[in-house]
Amino acid sequence: MDLLHELENLAVIAEDNKNHEGPFQELLQEAKPKSFCPGVQAQLHLQPQDLKSTYLVKLDGPLGTASRVQELAQMLHLPQQVEGSGDVSGEASFCFVNGVEKRAIIRALSNNSFTPTFIHINKAEKGLSRDSAAPCLGYDATLPHHRVTELVHDFLPAQNQYPVWYFFYGTLANPDLLVEKLGLCVRPSLRPATVDGANIRTWGGKYKALVDGDSLVTGWAYEVTSEGHEDALRYYETSQYEVVRCVISMKDTNERVWGLTFRFIGACD
């Protein structure tokens, strides 16, 4: 399936994903050209999740090439370019940018009548370091006193390691929801578990948010077996969350394993 056709299909199924830990916004939401004041847009306060958000920007007008996107977005490297076609949109080319780079493009075009088209990839960020435990629940693994001194050390889980244990603390701990979102044939078994160095807060008045803290949080552990299943969970959580490493303590066996969880990166209540 080509890129634009897949984006259109994902937008259609977005309506089925409203009941989750955050108010579900479209999986992939296209910012339609509309009248706006670029000067005001460029002054928008930069939110923490802007660093983690990913967008496709359409190569069009003054953004006709990847090198032009690199220049206006002030990127160190040439952005990845993808091609696509769709029944509605026709042939098009896109580049990947993050929220900060998107903001830089809008600012650079503030005196231009052209309105760029952005497609929001509304998916929890996953960027596990090979050189440290970062990102890690409960502490900043990049600080000197948290760095590992061994010359050779494998930081686990790795970025593309499967199967991998996940710690769930909200609606994802519902086996019936996992059956629906992952297309499972049988109801999965979850193990009671805890993570340390965290707190449960709320956002949006009612949605659970796991954040760094100093408490023991109780939840459930589930073994994700494939990248496809993990991607489904990341789309479900949206870009309001990021995937981070954590130590999961299994309550049934007292076993401790390195795994992953979804940490909230937005503004809590």
Side-chain angles (χ1 to χ4, degrees):
M1 181 182 296
D2 59 60
L3 175 66
L4 291 186
H5 192 65
E6 183 175 1
L7 295 180
E8 290 164 359
N9 287 341
L10 286 172
V12 170
I13 66 173
E15 186 66 21
D16 297 330
N17 290 274
K18 290 182 177 178
N19 298 318
H20 80 311
E21 290 176 344
F24 193 90
Q25 302 169 8
E26 292 181 350
L27 290 177
L28 299 166
Q29 177 179 327
E30 182 170 357
K32 301 293 185 182
K34 54 189 175 183
S35 60
F36 69 100
C37 177
V40 173
Q41 291 274 0
Q43 298 303 318
L44 290 176
H45 178 64
L46 196 62
Q47 300 293 330
Q49 57 266 37
D50 290 334
L51 296 171
K52 307 293 183 180
S53 296
T54 302
Y55 298 84
L56 289 171
V57 58
K58 186 177 181 181
L59 299 186
D60 190 23
L63 294 171
T65 64
S67 59
R68 184 61 172 158
V69 171
Q70 179 186 11
E71 177 186 352
L72 296 184
Q74 303 175 24
M75 304 169 72
L76 295 178
H77 304 288
L78 194 69
Q80 179 186 356
Q81 180 174 331
V82 292
E83 312 296 327
S85 62
D87 296 336
V88 177
S89 305
E91 300 289 336
S93 298
F94 299 84
C95 282
F96 285 96
V97 297
N98 63 30
V100 177
E101 292 156 353
K102 173 190 173 184
R103 187 167 176 262
I105 291 172
I106 293 174
R107 181 189 294 112
L109 296 174
S110 60
N111 295 320
N112 194 306
S113 60
F114 174 80
T115 302
T117 297
F118 294 98
I119 299 173
H120 184 200
I121 310 298
N122 203 5
K123 179 181 181 182
E125 171 72 11
K126 182 187 180 187
L128 306 180
S129 174
R130 297 175 55 186
D131 303 315
S132 74
C136 189
L137 183 67
Y139 66 93
D140 185 351
T142 64
L143 295 177
H145 58 285
H146 288 312
R147 293 175 186 167
V148 176
T149 57
E150 293 93 335
L151 293 178
V152 178
H153 187 91
D154 292 327
F155 294 97
L156 301 176
Q159 176 73 11
N160 298 310
Q161 176 182 330
Y162 305 99
V164 60
W165 284 101
Y166 263 80
F167 175 79
F168 296 151
Y169 53 90
T171 55
L172 281 179
N174 181 346
D176 293 331
L177 186 140
L178 292 176
V179 168
E180 175 189 348
K181 299 303 176 184
L182 304 183
L184 303 177
C185 297
V186 296
R187 201 167 185 264
S189 296
L190 283 74
R191 298 174 62 181
T194 61
V195 292
D196 205 353
N199 284 322
I200 292 291
R201 303 279 297 278
T202 61
W203 70 284
K206 58 181 178 179
Y207 304 108
K208 286 188 176 182
L210 184 73
V211 297
D212 291 341
D214 55 6
S215 299
L216 190 71
V217 173
T218 299
W220 300 86
Y222 175 72
E223 192 173 39
V224 175
T225 58
S226 69
E227 183 178 8
H229 283 181
E230 183 183 63
D231 280 345
L233 297 174
R234 290 170 62 193
Y235 278 121
Y236 177 79
E237 289 292 355
T238 77
S239 57
Q240 293 282 359
Y241 296 81
E242 65 174 337
V243 177
V244 298
R245 291 182 172 115
C246 62
V247 176
I248 303 173
S249 299
M250 306 294 186
K251 297 178 69 174
D252 53 357
T253 62
N254 293 323
E255 177 188 9
R256 289 166 57 87
V257 299
W258 275 98
L260 302 171
T261 192
F262 291 101
R263 179 171 63 187
F264 184 67
I265 59 175
C268 294
D269 296 335

